[in-house]
Amino acid sequence: MERLPDLLIQEAPWAGLVMGNHALVRAMIEAGTMVVSTYPGSPTPEIAEAITSIAPEKRPMYFEYSVNEKVASEVAFGAAINGHPSAVFFKSVGLNVASDSVVQFGLMHIEGGLVVILGDDPGVNSSQNEQDNRHFCRMSYIPMFEPATPNEVYLMYLEAARLAQRRHMAVFLRLTTHVCHAREKVSFGQYIPQEFDWSPHFDSSKEGPYIAITKTVFPMKARALDRLGLVEAEGDESPVNAVLEPNGVSASLGLLRGVISASLPAMSLMENLKDSGAQLRLLKLGLSYPLPRKKILDFLRRHDEVLIVEELDRVMEAEIKMLAYDNEIHCAIFSRSDEFLSGELTSSRTMQILRQTWPEIFTPKLGRRTVEASVVPRTPLMCPGCGHRAAFYAIKKALPEGAITVADIGCHTMGSFEPYKMGEVMLCMGASSGIGSGLALGNRERRVLSFIGDSTLFHAGLPGIVNAVQYDHDFLLVVMDNGITAMTGHQLNAGSPEGGNISIEDTLKALGVKHIRSIDCYKKDELGTAVREALEIKGFKVIIAQHPCMLQFSRKTIRKLGEMPGLMSIDAEKCEKAYECSSVFDCPSFVRGEDGSISVHRELCIGDGSCRPSCPHTALELKKRKESAR
Amino acid sequence: MKEANIYLCGVGGQGIGMLSEVLIRACMEAGYDVMGCDTHGLAQRGGVVQSHLRIGEHIYTPLVPDGEADIVIALERLEAMRGALEMLREGGSVIYYNTTYQPMRVRSGAMQYPSQSDVEETVKKLNGNLHAVELEGLPDPRMQNVALLGRLAELELIEGLNAAVIRSVLKSVLPEHVLEKNLEVFSRASNS
Ligand SMILES: Cc1ncc(C[n+]2csc(CCOP(=O)(O)OP(=O)(O)O)c2C)c(N)n1
C-alpha cells in the first residue's frame, strides 16, 4: 500500500480512503500553502501528524507547533502579509486564545491570503465546552466555509485558499469533530510543485494601513464590509451553496417544504430524506458567512414552509428570520426546539427534528426494544506508570484537611476524577494560577494548591505566574512536567528536551519565584514532604513534579525490545489485601479476582515500579518479565 | 447484506485503529461504498475507544446510529456488553474477543465485571447472534484484533468480506516484520 506521506506529495492525481484532516493536508499542498502553524488540540492533531509525517526535506511548506493558538495565528498572519499563502489551525477553544489577534484580520489587507481552520466540537467529544465559533466570523467580518465531508474539506480548502489569495483576506474554514475524523474515498487533483517565492512582499505604504487605531479603524472596517459584500455576491452564485432534491419534487405537491442547513447536519438531513422518500428541497450552505441572501430569499419565496436545521446556536436562523421580515416573506419558518441547541445533530436527532416539525410526513419508526442491564462505566484514566498518578497519590496524602485544589488542562485533569479527586475547579488552559491566587485572597483557613502541565505553562500559564510573583499570592503551584504535550498525542513543546528545551526551573527563577523545588514524581516521600513544607511557606511557591510521559517511553521501548523488561508481581505471602495499590493508587494494571485477591495484568503493566511505595506491606516486587510465569 | 452498519469498540491501546483500518479497506476492496470514523475519549490509554463503519450507497454520515449496528465487533468483554446494549440492532451479530480489562469500579470492588453468560443474556434479549473468540497461545495479545478479523471472515456476515479479501488487505497494511505471525493468526482464526 502507498504510504500516506508519499501520497500527500504525489504529483499525479490519486483517490484514496482518507479522513477529513488528511484530505485537508493534500489540499494545502495542492494549493501551494507556504506556511502552516498550529497549537495541538482535538479534533485537529491529525492534520499536524500528516504534515510532519512528510520528511522535512520533502515537506512542501514551513510548519511549526507554535507556543499557543494566538502566536500560531500571528505567525501565519505575518507570513501572509509578506505575500506567502498561509494557514493556521486549532481546536474550537483555541480561537478564544487567538481571538485578540484574529478579530483584527478582517481589517487587514493580507497579500498572500490566510485560511484560519477551526476544529469545533459540537457534542463536546473532547473539549471543555461546545462553543459555536460561527459567532466569530460575524465579529471579525471574515467569511466562513463549512465542509460536511472529507471530500468537501478538500474542495472547500481549495476554494477558501483561492478566495483568500484573490481578495487578499483571511477566510475561516470551520470543521467539526466528525468532519475531521470521518473517512471516505476522496479524489484528489494534481500537485504541481513550485519554487516558492520567499521574497518579502510586505508593503505598508501601498496596502496599508496596518495600524488599526481610533479613527483609522473606520476606513478599514468599511473595506472589510465591502469585501464581505463581494464575497456574498460570489456565494449567491457558488455551487457550494446548493439546492438539493434527493427525492425530486413533483409538480402536484400541495405544500412546498424546504430545509436550510449546513455542515454535518445537512448530511444527516440527506440521509433522513433518502430514508423517508419525502419530497423536500434542501438548501445546503457551504459558504455560510456571509449568508447568500439572494439565494436564501429565493428559496424562501419558492416554499410555503422552511425549517432551519443548524448545529448549536441559532445563528443562521436569526439572520434568515430578519431577512424574511425585512422582505415581507410569507413563508412559515420553523426552528428546532430548545433541546437541540446542545449536542451533535446526528442523523437520528435530525430525524427527531423533522418529526417534530412535520409529523404527518415523517412518521416514527419502530425503535429497538430497550434492554435493561447495568454496565460498569469505564472512565478515562491515566496510563500505567504515569508520573501524574504517582504525584497525585503522594500529594493527596500530604495535603492538610480542607485544602482547595485547582485543576488545569491536560492528562493531569484526570486527577480530578475518582479516586484521587485532585482538582476541584477548572476553566481553561493556564487558568489555575489566576484562580489559585483569587482563592487564596483573605483565606487563612484553607491552603490552596494549583496544578499546571508543562505545555500549558508556556501556552497560557506564564501571565498567571508573573502575576502571582508580583503580588506574592499565597498558593502552591505544582507543575506536572512530563516534558511533552501528552493528551493531544505527544507533540513537542517549548519545554520538551527535543523541542524548545527551555528550562521551566530557570524560567521561573528568572521571573523571581523564590521557592522552587524539582522532584521526580516517583519519589513519593520526598514529594510529599516538599508539598507539606511548601504549604508552610507564606506566598507564592512552585514544585516541579517531573517524570517523562511513560506511554511514550513504553511505546519506544516495546518497539525496540518487543516488550517491557519489567513486570510487577505480588508476593501473596506478604499481601494482606489492603487494596492500597488497586483502589487508592489505582493503577489499571491491578486486577481484582472474584475471591478478592489482587494480581497484575501482564498486558497493562509496564514494570515501571511507581506503585511500589503504595503497598503498606511491601508485597509489590518488580521482576523480570521473562522470568515471571504467564 | 448490501448496506450495513458496523460498530467496533474496545479499550484504548488494544489496537482498534488497525482493526478499523483493515476492515474499512477490506469493505472497499469488496466493492462497497464506505464511510467511517474513529473516535476516542480523553484518555490516551484505557478509556473506551470506538470506531464506526458504514457501507452502502445511501450513507451520508459517518456515525452508526444508536441501536442500528448490524455487527458489533468488540476487543473486550465488558465493551462487547456495552456495545451490544447501546448499538446493536435486534437480530444483529456480536463478535468479541474474550479478554478482560477491569475499569476502576471493578478494581475497587464496587461493581462486578460481567461474565460471559451476562453478555450472552444481553445479546439474546436482542435476538442477536453471539460469537466469542479466544485463541490459545497467541504470540502477542496485540494480535487479538487479527483473530477477530479471522472470525469475521469465516462468518462472512457481509457478502464478499471473506478471508481472501481481508488477507490481501492485511498484507498491504501491516509492517513487514509482524506480517507473517499475523497471517498465521488470521489463518487459524478464519480456518482458511
Ligand atoms: C486553548 C486550548 N488549546 C488546546 C487545548 C487542547 N489540549 C487539551 S489537553 C492539552 C495538553 C496540555 O499539555 P500539558 O500541559 O503538557 O499536559 P499533559 O497532557 O502533558 O499532562 C491540550 C493542548 C485546549 N483544551 N485548549
Side-chain angles (χ1 to χ4, degrees):
Chain A
M1 192 176 70
E2 298 279 346
R3 291 170 58 253
L4 181 71
D6 299 328
L7 285 170
L8 287 173
I9 53 172
Q10 174 178 306
E11 290 180 29
W14 57 284
L17 185 70
V18 291
M19 71 161 94
N21 280 344
H22 294 173
L24 178 69
V25 175
R26 173 68 183 191
M28 288 173 172
I29 291 171
E30 283 183 27
T33 306
M34 290 170 70
V35 170
V36 182
S37 53
T38 188
Y39 180 77
S42 188
T44 64
E46 299 83 4
I47 302 170
E49 281 161 22
I51 293 174
T52 54
S53 75
I54 307 168
E57 68 278 8
K58 292 188 189 161
R59 198 180 298 161
M61 57 183 56
Y62 171 83
F63 170 78
E64 75 171 42
Y65 284 116
S66 306
V67 70
N68 67 27
E69 293 86 349
K70 182 166 181 284
V71 175
S73 303
E74 290 151 359
V75 169
F77 169 76
I81 56 172
N82 227 3
H84 314 322
S86 300
V88 57
F89 63 92
F90 39 73
K91 76 182 273 118
S92 57
V93 292
L95 187 51
N96 301 334
V97 178
S99 65
D100 215 1
S101 291
V102 173
V103 292
Q104 298 301 102
F105 290 174
L107 303 179
M108 305 290 168
H109 172 100
I110 303 178
E111 181 63 21
L114 171 57
V115 184
V116 181
I117 301 151
L118 308 172
D120 275 14
D121 190 17
V124 215
N125 300 279
S126 50
S127 308
Q128 61 263 35
N129 68 23
E130 58 171 357
Q131 70 185 49
D132 191 332
N133 275 338
R134 294 178 301 161
H135 294 292
F136 273 99
C137 49
R138 286 153 174 90
M139 235 152 85
S140 53
Y141 324 112
I142 299 177
M144 177 176 276
F145 284 90
E146 291 191 81
T149 61
N151 268 294
E152 288 189 359
V153 172
Y154 166 68
L155 293 171
M156 286 192 197
Y157 178 85
L158 293 178
E159 284 278 323
R162 270 196 293 266
L163 176 62
Q165 280 171 47
R166 191 160 31 87
R167 301 215 176 272
H168 310 292
M169 66 192 303
V171 176
F172 279 123
L173 183 74
R174 176 180 179 262
L175 316 178
T176 56
T177 298
H178 292 128
V179 173
C180 288
H181 293 161
R183 305 215 299 164
E184 66 176 357
K185 193 169 172 180
V186 180
S187 298
F188 298 106
Q190 190 164 13
Y191 158 49
I192 305 163
Q194 357 164 357
E195 200 59 51
F196 284 149
D197 171 14
W198 284 102
S199 58
H201 291 280
F202 179 61
D203 187 351
S204 60
S205 62
K206 199 164 124 242
E207 306 297 357
Y210 283 94
I211 310 285
I213 193 158
T214 63
K215 287 198 172 67
T216 61
V217 171
F218 297 129
M220 295 169 94
K221 183 166 168 178
R223 178 175 65 188
L225 293 171
D226 281 350
R227 266 193 311 226
L228 273 186
L230 296 171
V231 175
E232 180 180 333
E234 287 184 36
D236 276 325
E237 302 304 323
S238 168
V240 299
N241 296 326
V243 177
L244 306 170
E245 293 180 1
N247 303 310
V249 175
S250 57
S252 59
L253 223 54
L255 274 183
L256 283 176
R257 298 182 175 94
V259 191
I260 303 178
S261 189
S263 186
L264 202 50
M267 289 296 147
S268 297
L269 283 162
M270 281 300 285
E271 217 162 271
N272 297 152
L273 294 179
K274 274 282 182 199
D275 280 352
S276 65
Q279 297 192 0
L280 270 76
R281 283 199 195 88
L282 169 63
L283 173 55
K284 176 181 176 302
L285 301 179
L287 177 51
S288 65
Y289 182 77
L291 281 181
R293 280 179 289 190
K294 225 174 86 202
K295 208 167 231 168
I296 290 171
L297 272 176
D298 181 53
F299 192 77
L300 294 176
R301 287 202 176 99
R302 281 171 65 199
H303 294 89
D304 302 296
E305 296 178 348
V306 165
L307 168 69
I308 295 161
V309 179
E310 59 189 320
E311 220 157 41
L312 302 175
D313 302 341
R314 301 187 198 281
V315 177
M316 291 200 294
E317 184 180 323
E319 288 184 18
I320 291 173
K321 283 182 172 167
M322 195 159 80
L323 192 64
Y325 182 87
D326 288 347
N327 289 277
E328 297 178 28
I329 300 280
H330 297 294
C331 163
I333 300 177
F334 301 131
S335 61
R336 312 158 279 166
S337 55
D338 288 354
E339 66 190 285
F340 296 106
L341 292 177
S342 189
E344 279 181 274
L345 297 187
T346 56
S347 58
S348 346
R349 294 186 82 219
T350 308
M351 191 48 134
Q352 287 173 27
I353 297 172
L354 288 170
R355 275 193 206 117
Q356 283 183 1
T357 313
W358 292 302
E360 65 284 13
I361 305 178
F362 299 95
T363 45
K365 193 165 65 170
L366 271 186
R368 190 193 80 173
R369 81 179 70 182
T370 45
V371 178
E372 293 300 328
S374 75
V375 226
V376 193
R378 191 183 295 280
T379 43
L381 76 179
M382 292 168 274
C383 308
C386 181
H388 295 340
R389 169 184 296 104
F392 286 131
Y393 178 74
I395 293 169
K396 182 163 185 171
K397 300 224 178 247
L399 278 189
E401 186 87 21
I404 303 174
T405 51
V406 183
D408 210 294
I409 302 265
C411 283
H412 48 89
T413 308
M414 293 184 280
S416 64
F417 304 159
E418 297 270 9
Y420 319 101
K421 296 284 203 138
M422 288 282 94
E424 305 162 89
V425 53
M426 182 185 83
L427 288 175
C428 59
M429 284 187 77
S432 66
S433 288
I435 300 171
S437 302
L439 280 165
L441 285 180
N443 168 6
R444 283 165 207 239
E445 289 111 76
R446 300 173 66 186
R447 310 306 291 149
V448 178
L449 185 154
S450 297
F451 295 101
I452 192 167
D454 50 304
S455 186
T456 306
L457 183 138
F458 291 108
H459 171 284
L462 288 172
I465 291 171
V466 169
N467 193 68
V469 172
Q470 183 179 348
Y471 297 101
D472 202 24
H473 283 301
D474 185 19
F475 72 101
L476 169 61
L477 178 68
V478 179
V479 182
M480 304 292 267
D481 180 10
N482 53 11
I484 201 104
T485 314
M487 192 174 227
T488 44
H490 302 120
Q491 295 82 7
L492 296 174
N493 64 51
S496 307
E498 291 155 44
N501 199 24
I502 300 171
S503 154
I504 292 178
E505 186 167 329
D506 291 351
T507 305
L508 296 179
K509 273 193 192 134
L511 289 177
V513 180
K514 285 201 260 343
H515 306 281
I516 310 174
R517 296 266 319 260
S518 292
I519 302 169
D520 188 291
C521 301
Y522 280 19
K523 294 188 174 150
K524 168 178 166 273
D525 294 338
E526 208 179 307
L527 181 55
T529 309
V531 167
R532 260 181 238 111
E533 287 172 2
L535 287 175
E536 293 296 313
I537 301 168
K538 192 143 175 40
F540 181 54
K541 53 264 166 186
V542 179
I543 291 177
I544 307 175
Q546 295 167 319
H547 204 81
C549 171
M550 292 304 276
L551 175 61
Q552 203 191 26
F553 174 76
S554 58
R555 271 187 191 150
K556 275 189 195 154
T557 311
I558 290 172
R559 215 171 295 143
K560 217 162 47 193
L561 305 178
E563 62 179 12
M564 294 305 285
L567 183 70
M568 233 35 221
S569 81
I570 294 168
D571 184 338
E573 308 231 307
K574 284 190 182 170
C575 175
E576 294 188 22
K577 297 186 181 166
Y579 300 122
E580 185 77 8
C581 62
S582 56
S583 298
V584 185
F585 186 75
D586 191 41
C587 176
S589 310
F590 292 108
V591 178
R592 193 189 188 99
E594 274 171 25
D595 58 353
S597 65
I598 295 292
S599 57
V600 174
H601 197 297
R602 269 189 97 94
E603 271 68 86
L604 285 169
C605 179
I606 60 165
D608 50 281
S610 63
C611 55
R612 218 162 17 169
S614 73
C615 183
H617 307 108
T618 60
L620 292 168
E621 275 179 82
L622 191 56
K623 292 206 169 151
K624 288 216 165 66
R625 186 172 289 257
K626 291 223 160 30
E627 286 159 19
S628 59
R630 261 203 172 268
Chain B
M1 220 180 279
K2 282 277 167 239
E3 298 216 339
N5 290 323
I6 306 174
Y7 175 76
L8 307 128
C9 53
V11 179
Q14 279 195 291
I16 197 172
M18 193 277 256
L19 180 61
S20 72
E21 174 78 19
V22 172
L23 206 54
I24 193 167
R25 287 188 184 277
C27 288
M28 215 163 77
E29 287 295 308
Y32 294 101
D33 288 342
V34 295
M35 195 156 195
C37 187
D38 292 348
T39 71
H40 51 82
L42 299 175
Q44 281 285 331
R45 269 287 151 91
V48 179
V49 285
Q50 314 159 355
S51 181
H52 300 247
L53 171 52
R54 311 187 69 195
I55 65 179
E57 278 172 36
H58 296 314
I59 303 297
Y60 294 88
T61 61
L63 299 182
V64 174
D66 291 0
E68 292 187 26
D70 299 286
I71 306 172
V72 170
I73 303 175
L75 282 154
E76 197 261 3
R77 196 198 297 159
L78 169 61
E79 295 318 310
M81 175 120 164
R82 193 191 321 282
L85 274 171
E86 290 175 3
M87 302 303 291
L88 192 67
R89 72 161 164 81
E90 282 185 46
S93 300
V94 176
I95 306 175
Y96 79 102
Y97 199 91
N98 188 31
T99 185
T100 63
Y101 285 76
Q102 292 187 345
M104 194 249 302
R105 294 269 174 81
V106 173
R107 204 156 51 240
S108 68
M111 289 177 91
Q112 279 271 308
Y113 191 88
S115 65
Q116 271 185 273
S117 54
D118 289 336
V119 183
E120 274 162 32
E121 235 168 83
T122 304
V123 174
K124 207 191 288 160
K125 282 185 196 152
L126 289 164
N127 299 321
N129 309 301
L130 181 66
H131 308 275
V133 180
E134 208 173 343
L135 277 196
E136 280 294 314
L138 268 192
D140 187 325
R142 283 172 291 171
M143 294 177 185
Q144 290 167 351
N145 48 15
V146 175
L148 286 175
L149 283 168
R151 178 61 69 87
L152 186 73
E154 187 189 21
L155 293 167
E156 206 180 330
L157 294 174
I158 293 167
E159 202 183 314
L161 199 67
N162 54 34
V165 168
I166 296 180
R167 187 176 283 117
S168 85
V169 174
L170 279 171
K171 282 182 191 162
S172 71
V173 167
L174 286 176
E176 197 76 48
H177 66 285
V178 295
L179 180 61
E180 199 178 320
K181 281 200 169 135
N182 276 285
L183 287 179
E184 268 172 46
V185 170
F186 181 75
S187 297
R188 230 169 7 113
S190 60
N191 284 315
S192 69

